[in-house]
Amino acid sequence: MKKITSLLLLCLLVSCNAVIPYYQIYETKSETVKPSGNAIVFEDNNCKISYNLWSESGNAGFTFYNKTSEVIYLQLEESFYVINDRAYDYYQNRIFSNSSDTASKTTKTTGFTQWGWLSLSGYTSNTLATNSTSGVEVIEAKVIAVPSKTSKTVSEFKINETLFRDCDLLRFPSSKQTSTKTFSEQSTPIRFYNTITYKLGDKLNKVKNDFYVSQITNIASKDALKLEKNAFCNQKNGGTVSVFKESAPAKFYVSYTKTQADTWKY
């Protein structure tokens, strides 16, 4: 009897401390960037600029492809990321340094929140290359050269890192249920764009790729994800992986959790 009582108490403790994962999925629209394969794309006579926002907190970065037979020069000092009328510089006058023969880049990330702005939300360090010489410092370039028929990627900023809350949006929808709120371009809580300046020959060109959040959906993890067999070139190894059911280059997500202590409906 004592063993049964102890087991019941243990089960109650586990259930009280259970953490249920949820996702808030953001869908965006744009008048200047259109779906094309596995990306959303802007294109003119000189370049093709591709986006894939799908990631935790959203990736506002872009890949710039040079369509011409000449070198195109991206002018980072005159290129900006703007969210809800707040501008951020792509050129930040940083120094890249290496340590123990490994060149690394320290990157500042910035995001929008409902309660204000995060001018500095964190640092990430990415390995760029290995080198036999240590102690080398490289000043960040103001201009990026993109050779003919090649591409380069510029990625600095996250879109939104904080859970959006609204009285029309259930915070913790029940199983097999979603809670969705839609927005117009005028009512959207998040509007963002990239202003990209590039030089071809003696001419400066400016491109503005704008987006706005058109829909936000809250969904439980078990309803947002599905299991797929791990395969490559039609060869399956017997394992499975979790994938999002509705991932798309014009969407991104924020993850959050529910505990026994969470009593908020919205």
Side-chain angles (χ1 to χ4, degrees):
M1 185 67 180
K2 286 184 178 180
K3 287 184 178 180
I4 295 174
T5 303
S6 299
L7 184 60
L8 287 172
L9 285 172
L10 180 61
C11 291
L12 285 171
L13 286 171
V14 170
S15 64
C16 286
N17 293 319
V19 175
I20 305 172
Y22 280 79
Y23 292 100
Q24 185 165 86
I25 299 176
Y26 294 70
E27 184 172 341
T28 68
K29 287 186 177 179
S30 173
E31 292 298 323
T32 57
V33 183
K34 302 301 179 184
S36 178
N38 295 323
I40 42 179
V41 175
F42 166 87
E43 193 166 1
D44 63 17
N45 292 330
N46 304 320
C47 67
K48 183 163 70 173
I49 302 174
S50 304
Y51 294 84
N52 189 339
L53 309 181
W54 184 257
S55 67
E56 174 84 40
S57 303
N59 176 15
F62 58 90
T63 297
F64 187 99
Y65 177 79
N66 179 358
K67 296 167 59 178
T68 75
S69 58
E70 301 177 49
V71 177
I72 288 180
Y73 297 92
L74 286 177
Q75 311 291 309
L76 290 190
E77 199 172 25
E78 298 180 54
S79 299
F80 307 95
Y81 171 66
V82 181
I83 181 164
N84 286 7
D85 300 324
R86 180 70 177 266
Y88 294 90
D89 300 324
Y90 270 106
Y91 173 67
Q92 299 177 36
N93 196 27
R94 293 166 294 187
I95 296 176
F96 301 158
S97 61
N98 65 343
S99 176
S100 301
D101 298 336
T102 302
S104 63
K105 181 177 78 170
T106 301
T107 304
K108 179 180 71 177
T109 54
T110 307
F112 169 78
T113 73
Q114 269 186 280
W115 302 281
W117 288 95
L118 296 175
S119 60
L120 179 61
S121 61
Y123 290 96
T124 57
S125 182
N126 300 316
T127 299
L128 302 178
T130 56
N131 195 301
S132 59
T133 305
S134 61
V136 175
E137 293 185 346
V138 180
I139 299 173
E140 182 177 17
K142 295 181 182 180
V143 177
I144 295 177
V146 185
S148 172
K149 312 301 181 185
T150 69
S151 65
K152 289 191 177 181
T153 297
V154 178
S155 183
E156 290 289 343
F157 303 105
K158 296 180 180 180
I159 302 169
N160 178 42
E161 297 179 293
T162 306
L163 186 71
F164 177 84
R165 296 177 66 184
D166 188 274
C167 295
D168 295 327
L169 202 59
L170 290 175
R171 190 173 185 185
F172 304 113
S174 59
S175 179
K176 297 183 180 179
Q177 177 189 26
T178 62
S179 181
T180 299
K181 185 174 178 67
T182 58
F183 305 93
S184 67
E185 191 171 0
Q186 290 70 39
S187 65
T188 183
I190 304 176
R191 183 181 293 104
F192 61 98
Y193 62 87
N194 280 316
T195 296
I196 302 164
T197 302
Y198 68 88
K199 189 175 184 180
L200 177 60
D202 295 326
K203 184 181 178 182
L204 277 179
N205 300 269
K206 289 186 181 291
V207 172
K208 180 181 177 181
N209 295 150
D210 60 320
F211 307 81
Y212 71 92
V213 170
S214 60
Q215 184 172 285
I216 297 176
T217 298
N218 290 346
I219 185 171
S221 173
K222 63 182 179 180
D223 297 317
L225 303 173
K226 63 180 179 179
L227 290 176
E228 286 188 352
K229 290 197 172 181
N230 196 9
F232 184 77
C233 295
N234 297 321
Q235 180 182 356
K236 299 177 181 179
N237 69 357
T240 58
V241 291
S242 292
V243 297
F244 280 91
K245 294 178 182 178
E246 297 185 9
S247 61
K251 296 180 180 181
F252 65 94
Y253 64 92
V254 173
S255 59
Y256 62 106
T257 57
K258 179 183 180 182
T259 65
Q260 195 71 20
D262 286 313
T263 58
W264 292 104
K265 184 177 180 180
Y266 302 104

